[in-house]
Amino acid sequence: MIREVKDTDFEGLMELYMQLHDNPMPEKSHEMMDLWKRILEDKNHHIIVAEVDGRIVSSCVCVIIPNLTHHQQSYAFIENVVTAEDCRNQGFATACLNYAKELAEKENCYKMMLLTGSKKESTLNFYRKAGYNSEDKTAFIQWL
């Protein structure tokens, strides 16, 4: 099942995120839960998950960004695309990205942008197959 995250999904999502850049399991602190609540309440912040037998096996984040250019059309930003290692190559991430595209189209976005830190050709080809290209724009990152 592909759906947006619910408030009860915190632990399942954090377990999946541990496979994203080898993140440690975060402490369920007051600050962390406040952040979780803010994300859930933000109408432009969408965490999309693929769930199998009650387990979150894949996810991506889609943020809709209001915009004053391009006829005031918003754009979508995709991040944190991850699939559990034992569930890869089964179409879950593609389904999450397709759900994000449907959200972006519903919000009348004129483009979607996706950043990845991966240099693996298989990952880059996955994004190309999903309809993204690395030719139109150049991304620059400044770490803070």
Side-chain angles (χ1 to χ4, degrees), residues 40-58:
L40 292 173
E41 291 173 351
D42 184 343
K43 70 179 183 75
N44 289 320
H45 196 137
H46 305 271
I47 302 176
I48 300 155
V49 298
E51 179 184 15
V52 176
D53 297 327
R55 175 182 169 217
I56 295 174
V57 299
S58 188

Side-chain angles (χ1 to χ4, degrees), residues 13-26 80-85 88 117-118 120:
L13 185 65
M14 293 303 105
E15 286 176 17
L16 179 64
Y17 278 180
M18 289 173 57
Q19 295 185 44
L20 187 65
H21 310 298
D22 297 316
N23 283 321
M25 186 66 160
N80 297 334
V81 180
V82 60
T83 300
E85 193 170 341
R88 293 183 182 156
S118 178
K120 290 172 51 179

Side-chain angles (χ1 to χ4, degrees), residues 24 33 43 89 142:
M33 298 318 293
K43 70 179 183 75
N89 300 308
Q142 183 178 66

